[in-house]
Amino acid sequence: MAEIKFRKSNIIISIILCLLGFFFFVYLLLTQYFVVKIISILWVFIVLYIIFIKYRQLVKVNKGIPGLEISNKGITNHTSLQSVFIDWNDIESFQAGFYRTTNIFINSKDPKKYKDQWMGNPLQLIGNIFSSKPESLWIDTETLDIEKKELLALLNHKLRENT
């Protein structure tokens, strides 16, 4: 089994940058005209959502949970809000190069299976606004202690090896 650790420093930097963004949008909310206030409210919620995800990742780091576990049975993705195991037989491919340039998408044969796991989570509504793909199928490579290209090569090799 291979374990890819989180890169704690990147998570902390991300939280700090999001907090700066949060304060900026709160400032706009308090000082600008109505249209800017409406847009600022939206951005405040988006930034809070990202802060919550990064906070959950930081909690996982402090508990010693790796960001990604790769075994002969499948992958356990701990980078999303809810950790999820994905069997190799359920994976068609790995995709990169979307608008989320730092992420790798796990192209599942049954993506609805992973979407259903989130239906009880109200924060999923925010994630669904920006992507029709289940959040648990995205690997946040920005927070992992491995380069994206190297991880993509490793995942593709393991997929070929185990299917």
Side-chain angles (χ1 to χ4, degrees), residues 30-150:
L30 298 174
T31 62
Q32 295 299 312
Y33 298 105
F34 180 74
V35 174
V36 176
K37 287 182 179 188
I38 298 297
I39 295 169
S40 295
I41 289 171
L42 174 68
W43 278 106
V44 163
F45 284 114
I46 291 169
V47 170
L48 286 175
Y49 174 70
I50 295 169
I51 289 172
F52 184 71
I53 291 172
K54 298 303 177 185
Y55 169 76
R56 291 286 303 261
Q57 290 174 341
L58 194 58
V59 167
K60 291 174 185 179
V61 167
N62 291 332
K63 287 182 177 180
I65 297 171
L68 201 61
E69 295 176 67
I70 304 169
S71 70
N72 291 335
K73 295 180 181 181
I75 301 169
T76 304
N77 181 12
H78 297 289
T79 65
S80 58
L81 271 176
Q82 181 178 340
S83 298
V84 64
F85 173 78
I86 305 157
D87 192 284
W88 288 116
N89 293 325
D90 195 28
I91 299 173
E92 287 184 7
S93 64
F94 296 97
Q95 299 173 344
F98 293 98
Y99 66 96
R100 295 180 178 197
T101 57
T102 61
N103 292 352
I104 295 173
F105 180 68
I106 303 168
N107 190 15
S108 170
K109 293 175 183 172
D110 186 15
K112 288 183 181 183
K113 175 180 174 183
Y114 301 99
K115 196 169 199 121
D116 292 340
Q117 292 180 1
W118 287 80
M119 295 314 275
N121 187 340
L123 288 173
Q124 181 61 23
L125 293 174
I126 295 172
N128 283 340
I129 292 170
F130 299 102
S131 177
S132 61
K133 297 176 175 154
E135 190 72 27
S136 56
L137 295 177
W138 289 100
I139 299 172
D140 183 2
T141 61
E142 180 181 276
T143 59
L144 295 176
D145 198 19
I146 189 172
E147 294 298 319
K148 179 181 174 181
K149 288 181 182 179
E150 185 181 346

